Amino acid sequence: MTIPNVQIGPLDLVTVLPYLSLAIMFGIVLAVVPLLTWFERVVLGLFHDRPGPNRVGPRGILQPIADGIKLFFKEDILPTSVDRRIYYLAPVLALMPPLASCAVIPITELRIRMADGTIRTLPMVAADVNIGVLWVFGLAALQVYGIVLGGWSSNNKYSLLGGLRSSAQSISYELAMSLTIVTAVLMAGSLSLVEIVQAQSGGIFSWNILRWFPLGLIAAIVYGISMVAETNRAPFDLPEAESELVAGFQTEYSSMKFAVFFMSEYASMVVVSAMATVLWLGGWQAPAPGLTIIPGVVWFFGKIALIIFTYVWVRATLPRFRYDALMRFGWKRLFPVALAVLMLGAVVDAYYTSPTAKSAIPAKPERPKPNMMGAEGAG
Amino acid sequence: MTKPAMTTAAMAAQGITLDPVDDSTIVLNMGPQHPSTHGVLRLVLELDGETIVSVTPHIGYVHTGIEKEGEYQSYLKAVTITDRMDYVSAHINNLAFCLSVERLLGVEPPPRGQYLRVLLSEIQRMASHLVWLGTHALDLGAMTVFFYAMREREKLLDLTEMLSGVRLMPSWIVPGGLRGDVPEGWFERCKHVLDDLPGRFAEYETILDQNPIWCERTQGVGIISADECLGLGVSGPSLRGSGVAYDVRKASPYSRFEDFEFGIPVGAFGDVNDRYRVRMAELRQSREIARQAIERMPDGPVSIDDPQIFPPKRADLDRSMEAVIQHFKLWSQGFAPPAGHAYVPVESPKGELGFYVVSNGGFYPWRMHLRAPSFMNLQALSTLCRGRLIADVVAIIGSLDIVLGEIDR
C-alpha cells in the first residue's frame, strides 16, 4: 500500500482526518441502514427457504429505496390524543445516540508521510477521546429515552407497554454489558477505543475475545447477548413484539417518524456491532500478520458484517423471550457471569500481567487533538 | 378532543368491570385487528402491569349467517358453504355435513369412496395442523417454522388442487360419495409428498423442541385439567393434551376409520407444550393413516349409483335425456331426505365437529346447526389465561388452535 502524503492539495490530512472519519462513519451508518434491511431480508429468505426480495432491481437490491420512497410519501398521521412535543421528539432522541456514538469509533489506522518525510500512524477516528468507552456507553443508555418517550407520548396502551418493557430491558442488560466492557477495558488498560484496538494488534490470538482464555470468550458472548437485547432485536424484541403488542412503542408512528425509529434500530445495530468489533475482535486488526495486506477498513467492516449476519441468523432461529424469562436471564444468568468474569479478569490482570507486558502496548502517538465533542477538557 | 372509546355502561353490558376506586389495572383491547388473535377475535384484557386479571373474548366479527343460510340451500348446494366455516380444513367440514345427510338418507358410499374420504381428511388434517404449527410458532416469535410449515402445507394443498381444481374450498365430498375419482397419477404424487413429510416434521421439532426458549414459553403455561376440559366441552387435541384419550375416529368410527391402525397420543400435564406435542404426534399419525389408505385403497366406484341423490356423470349428459333431466332436477330442486334429524360427529383438526341436520321431508334442511370445536375450545381461554402474562395469551390462543370462521360462522 502506498503511503499518502500529508498534504493533498490545499488540505492537511492530519487536520482533515477526523472530519473525514466522521463523514465516513456517518455516511456508512446512514447508507448501510437501507442496505441492511435488504441484507436482512435476503438472509432471512435463505434461512426460510423462500426467495426473499426479488422484485425491485437485481435480487431486490433497490427494495430499500422503494420502501424509503413509500415511507416518505405516506401520510404523516398525528393521532389526536398524543403529547405532541414529546411525540415528535422521541424518534429524534432514538436516532441521535447511535449517530453520536460514531464519533469515537475508530475505523482504521492510516500511515501518513509527513512534510519532513517521517511516517506517522494515525487512527482514523473523529475524536480519539480518552473516555471513548464511556461516551458510547452513556449514549447507549440515552437511547432508551426515545423509545420510552415514544411509547408514553403516543397515548396508546400497546405503545406504553412496549416502552415499559424497553426501559426495564435496557436497564437490566446494560449492567451485564457494562461489566463485560469493563473487562475489555481491563485487558487493554485504557478507556480510549483507539488504544483498545491498538492493544489487540498481532493476530487473532491477541484479540480480546481470545485473551485470558476463556474469560475473554465468555465476556464476548455475554456482550453479544446483551448487545442484541440493547438493540431490541429478536429474540429480545419484546418492546415491539408484533404478535403481542402489535408494534409496541412505534404502534402510533407513521411515515418518516416511523422510518426514523426504524433507522435508529438499524443504526444502533451497526454501532453496537462496531463496538463489539473494537472491543473483542480487534477492530481493524487483521487476524494474522500476513493478512495485513488487506486494508484495515475492510477488516473492520467485514467483522461488522459478520456480526450483523449473526443477528439475522439468531432472529431466524430463536423464538421470542417472555418478559419474566428475559428478566431472569438478564439478572440471574448474564449479570453474575459478567461479574465473575470481571472479578477473575481483575485477578488475572493484577497477578499475571507483568509491567513489561503493559509497556508493550504501543504508546499513543502525539498529535494535535481536534477540538470536537469537548474532547480537550475530558480526562 | 378525545372521547372515551366506550362508556362505562357499555363496558358493563359487555361484561367488563372496572373498579372506579382502584384503577391499578388497565383495560387493553386486543383485537379484532391484532396480528395474533388468529382472525378477528377480540379479547378485552384487564391487566395489572403485564399480568392478566381477566380475559373476555368477544366474537362475531366474521358472522356470516352460514347456519341460517343452510336452511335456504338444497343439500347438495349446502356443501359449498360448509367449506367456508373452518376454512383451513374444508374436506373435513364437507365430510361432517355429508355424513349427517347420508344418515338422514340412509345411504352409504361404496368402499373406495369411504377410503378416499379418509385419505382426504387425513391430508386435510395435516394441512390444518401445519397452519396451526406455523402460526403458533410465529406468535411465539419462531418465524422460520412458519415458512417451513407453509411450504409443506402448499404441497398438501396442491394434492387437493390436482383433485378438485381449488386449493381451499374443494367441496369434493358430497352426499353419496365424492364428486369424482382421483385423476391419473394422483396416488403417486400423494405417496411422494407423504414420503417427504416425516423428515420435515423432524426438522420442525429440531428447531422447536431443542430450543430452551421455546420450552420455557410453552412448558407449564396454560395448564388445564381433564375435568375442566370436559366441563367446558373442550375436544380434540386440546382435550387429549390434558390426558383424555378421546378421539371421535376411535370412539364412534365413521367412514371406515375402524379399518385403520392408529393410536391416540395424549399429554400428561395439559399445558401448551403438551398440546403442541399431541398435534405433532397427530401429524405423523395422519401421515401413517393416509399411507395405509393408499395401500389398502379398494377398486370400484367412489359414489353411490342413485340418480336421485348423486348427479350423473358429465359424459352421460351428452347421450342420455334421462341423465339431463336428473341433472337438472338435482341441481335446481335437490333431493328430499325423509323427515328426521341426524348428528354424525367427526374428528376435525380442532376437535369434535358435527352437523346437526333436521329435515322435515323438504328439499332444504329445516335446520342446520354446527357443533364447532373452536367455539367450545375458546371457552377455556379465560380459565387458561388468568394470572398469566400477555405473552402467554398469544401462546395459549395458539395452542387452542381456533378458527374464527368456525366460531362465528
Side-chain angles (χ1 to χ4, degrees):
Chain A
M1 236 165 71
T2 53
I3 300 163
N5 285 322
V6 69
Q7 207 69 26
I8 302 173
L11 292 173
D12 180 18
L13 203 54
V14 177
T15 324
V16 167
L17 200 57
Y19 301 99
L20 188 68
S21 339
L22 191 62
I24 290 177
M25 203 60 203
F26 245 68
I28 292 275
V29 168
L30 288 179
V32 119
V33 166
L35 196 67
L36 258 186
T37 62
W38 170 82
F39 175 76
E40 182 173 20
R41 287 178 199 181
V42 168
V43 175
L44 271 183
L46 291 175
F47 278 116
H48 291 165
D49 194 11
R50 62 185 168 91
N54 63 358
R55 297 289 103 176
V56 196
R59 198 65 180 91
I61 186 95
L62 299 178
Q63 185 67 45
I65 296 171
D67 287 347
I69 294 169
K70 184 196 80 175
L71 277 172
F72 202 80
F73 286 106
K74 280 276 170 191
E75 186 188 351
D76 192 12
I77 299 163
L78 181 75
T80 43
S81 53
V82 299
D83 188 337
R84 286 184 69 160
R85 270 173 301 180
I86 301 176
Y87 181 76
Y88 275 107
L89 190 65
V92 181
L93 279 181
L95 183 59
M96 191 268 292
L99 292 183
S101 304
C102 299
V104 294
I105 294 174
I107 302 166
T108 182
E109 219 171 25
L110 276 189
R111 297 174 74 202
I112 295 169
R113 197 186 305 277
M114 303 303 287
D116 56 0
T118 55
I119 291 169
R120 267 178 59 188
T121 309
L122 289 182
M124 198 164 170
V125 59
D128 178 17
V129 290
N130 51 8
I131 52 150
V133 170
L134 292 183
W135 171 253
V136 172
F137 193 59
L139 284 169
L142 273 182
Q143 203 188 357
V144 72
Y145 277 95
I147 293 171
V148 173
L149 291 178
W152 175 260
S153 66
S154 293
N155 203 1
N156 174 319
K157 286 163 189 167
Y158 288 116
S159 306
L160 177 64
L161 286 170
L164 286 177
R165 281 179 172 193
S166 176
S167 57
Q169 183 176 325
S170 292
I171 290 167
S172 309
Y173 280 79
E174 242 157 44
L175 272 172
M177 197 176 179
S178 59
L179 288 176
T180 58
I181 291 178
V182 174
T183 313
V185 169
L186 266 186
M187 287 173 174
S190 167
L191 280 169
S192 155
L193 293 175
V194 175
E195 282 174 28
I196 288 175
V197 176
Q198 281 166 348
Q200 299 178 61
S201 63
I204 191 163
F205 291 105
S206 41
W207 292 0
N208 281 345
I209 191 168
L210 292 178
R211 202 179 293 182
W212 298 351
F213 190 81
L215 293 183
L217 188 63
I218 298 171
I221 291 169
V222 172
Y223 177 88
I225 297 171
S226 325
M227 161 182 104
V228 180
E230 246 334 87
T231 44
N232 299 330
R233 294 277 304 175
F236 302 99
D237 55 345
L238 278 86
E240 48 188 302
E242 193 202 344
S243 58
E244 296 154 29
L245 300 182
V246 188
F249 62 92
Q250 54 196 16
T251 307
E252 294 289 353
Y253 281 91
S254 59
S255 186
M256 276 316 278
K257 290 203 285 296
F258 170 78
V260 169
F261 265 128
F262 203 72
M263 247 153 71
S264 113
E265 182 183 322
Y266 280 82
S268 52
M269 257 169 82
V270 178
V271 167
V272 291
S273 303
M275 277 297 283
T277 308
V278 166
L279 291 173
W280 306 107
L281 301 179
W284 65 78
Q285 313 274 11
L291 289 169
T292 42
I293 312 155
I294 301 166
V297 64
V298 174
W299 286 117
F300 181 68
F301 288 111
K303 287 169 189 174
I304 293 179
L306 192 72
I307 295 171
I308 285 172
F309 174 78
T310 318
Y311 257 111
V312 183
W313 186 2
V314 166
R315 182 179 170 196
T317 313
L318 296 179
R320 189 178 300 115
F321 267 99
R322 198 176 57 201
Y323 185 64
D324 57 335
L326 175 98
M327 286 295 153
R328 213 164 36 234
F329 186 65
W331 287 97
K332 291 191 176 169
R333 304 273 153 74
L334 287 188
F335 181 64
V337 168
L339 197 62
V341 167
L342 176 61
M343 296 291 196
L344 288 173
V347 171
V348 172
D349 190 44
Y351 287 92
Y352 298 101
T353 314
S354 62
T356 47
K358 279 202 169 159
S359 65
I361 298 168
K364 196 176 149 195
E366 281 304 313
R367 66 182 175 90
K369 275 188 178 170
N371 189 12
M372 290 179 71
M373 309 285 172
E376 288 293 316
Chain B
M1 282 289 101
T2 58
K3 282 181 189 167
M6 219 193 284
T7 62
T8 319
M11 281 205 246
Q14 295 198 351
I16 309 160
T17 47
L18 273 182
D19 190 350
V21 182
D22 172 26
D23 58 358
S24 61
T25 59
I26 59 169
V27 173
L28 182 68
N29 214 350
M30 193 167 168
Q33 300 96 348
H34 187 280
S36 59
T37 49
H38 289 237
V40 283
L41 174 66
R42 172 175 163 222
L43 298 175
V44 178
L45 307 176
E46 193 185 346
L47 298 173
D48 179 10
E50 286 221 12
T51 313
I52 311 287
V53 178
S54 70
V55 181
T56 319
H58 291 258
I59 58 169
Y61 289 90
V62 283
H63 176 64
T64 40
I66 285 177
E67 280 187 6
K68 190 71 187 163
E69 212 175 316
E71 298 170 16
Y72 296 91
Q73 310 278 341
S74 71
Y75 289 90
L76 206 48
K77 289 176 183 169
V79 172
T80 53
I81 56 173
T82 62
D83 284 331
R84 273 93 184 147
M85 293 181 177
D86 180 358
Y87 39 76
V88 294
S89 56
H91 279 311
I92 295 176
N93 283 21
N94 295 161
L95 179 59
F97 177 69
C98 293
L99 286 173
S100 289
V101 175
E102 280 164 9
R103 178 158 303 174
L104 275 178
L105 290 163
V107 297
E108 204 174 61
R112 189 178 172 85
Q114 305 262 32
Y115 271 58
L116 269 178
R117 284 177 170 191
V118 167
L119 178 56
L120 288 179
S121 62
E122 292 315 308
I123 286 173
Q124 189 75 77
R125 191 184 314 280
M126 282 187 276
S128 170
H129 276 1
L130 286 172
V131 175
W132 156 79
L133 177 68
T135 50
H136 185 37
L138 189 66
D139 285 350
L140 296 186
M143 197 183 1
T144 307
V145 178
F146 174 76
F147 289 100
Y148 287 1
M150 288 296 149
R151 181 185 64 193
E152 266 67 75
R153 173 179 180 251
E154 208 55 38
K155 288 178 191 152
L156 292 168
L157 291 183
D158 281 348
L159 291 174
T160 301
E161 187 180 8
M162 193 176 167
L163 177 70
S164 65
V166 281
R167 293 163 68 247
L168 289 174
M169 311 283 164
S171 299
W172 199 250
I173 297 172
V174 288
L178 289 92
R179 277 186 203 271
D181 207 336
V182 295
E184 215 170 295
W186 193 81
F187 283 126
E188 285 70 41
R189 184 155 165 191
C190 192
K191 265 185 216 154
H192 183 73
V193 172
L194 293 179
D195 287 344
D196 204 28
L197 285 174
R200 304 299 187 182
F201 298 156
E203 198 175 287
Y204 312 145
E205 287 183 338
T206 313
I207 301 177
L208 297 176
D209 283 4
Q210 295 168 14
N211 192 317
I213 303 177
W214 173 266
C215 295
E216 192 154 18
R217 288 295 302 271
T218 56
Q219 284 171 0
V221 174
I223 298 175
I224 188 162
S225 70
D227 285 343
E228 275 177 305
C229 276
L230 292 171
L232 289 163
V234 174
S235 58
S238 305
L239 175 66
R240 292 193 283 275
S242 294
V244 182
Y246 174 75
D247 187 322
V248 183
R249 289 174 292 179
K250 285 273 188 198
S252 59
Y254 54 92
S255 197
R256 298 277 188 98
F257 260 109
E258 64 269 30
D259 296 356
F260 299 91
E261 288 95 52
F262 60 98
I264 306 178
V266 290
F269 307 104
D271 58 2
V272 172
N273 194 267
D274 270 358
R275 293 192 276 276
Y276 155 74
R277 279 174 194 284
V278 164
R279 287 198 181 89
M280 289 308 284
E282 283 189 21
L283 274 172
R284 292 204 165 81
Q285 194 198 68
S286 289
R287 183 203 153 263
E288 180 56 28
I289 297 173
R291 202 188 51 76
Q292 287 178 24
I294 295 176
E295 270 175 14
R296 303 173 189 177
M297 187 62 65
D299 289 330
V302 295
S303 50
I304 52 166
D305 185 21
D306 182 351
Q308 302 287 340
I309 294 169
F310 195 82
K313 285 197 176 66
R314 177 68 187 78
D316 292 344
L317 296 182
D318 297 336
R319 291 195 302 267
S320 151
M321 190 62 212
E322 194 87 339
V324 174
I325 294 167
Q326 292 293 356
H327 186 267
F328 178 74
K329 284 270 281 179
L330 208 53
W331 285 108
S332 57
Q333 189 183 34
F335 52 81
H341 55 95
Y343 172 77
V344 183
V346 302
E347 183 69 25
S348 98
K350 316 288 182 290
E352 181 186 326
L353 169 81
F355 282 84
Y356 178 63
V357 182
V358 183
S359 163
N360 61 354
F363 292 99
Y364 298 165
W366 184 78
R367 174 83 172 95
M368 179 176 109
H369 173 70
L370 174 67
R371 189 229 184 254
S374 294
F375 181 76
M376 309 289 178
N377 293 354
L378 182 66
Q379 294 187 90
L381 187 69
S382 307
T383 320
L384 286 168
C385 291
R386 201 162 295 134
R388 309 292 321 182
L389 298 169
I390 297 181
D392 290 333
V393 174
V394 295
I396 290 165
I397 297 175
S399 79
L400 288 175
D401 190 16
I402 51 169
V403 163
L404 267 294
E406 188 182 70
I407 292 173
D408 293 344
R409 53 191 184 272

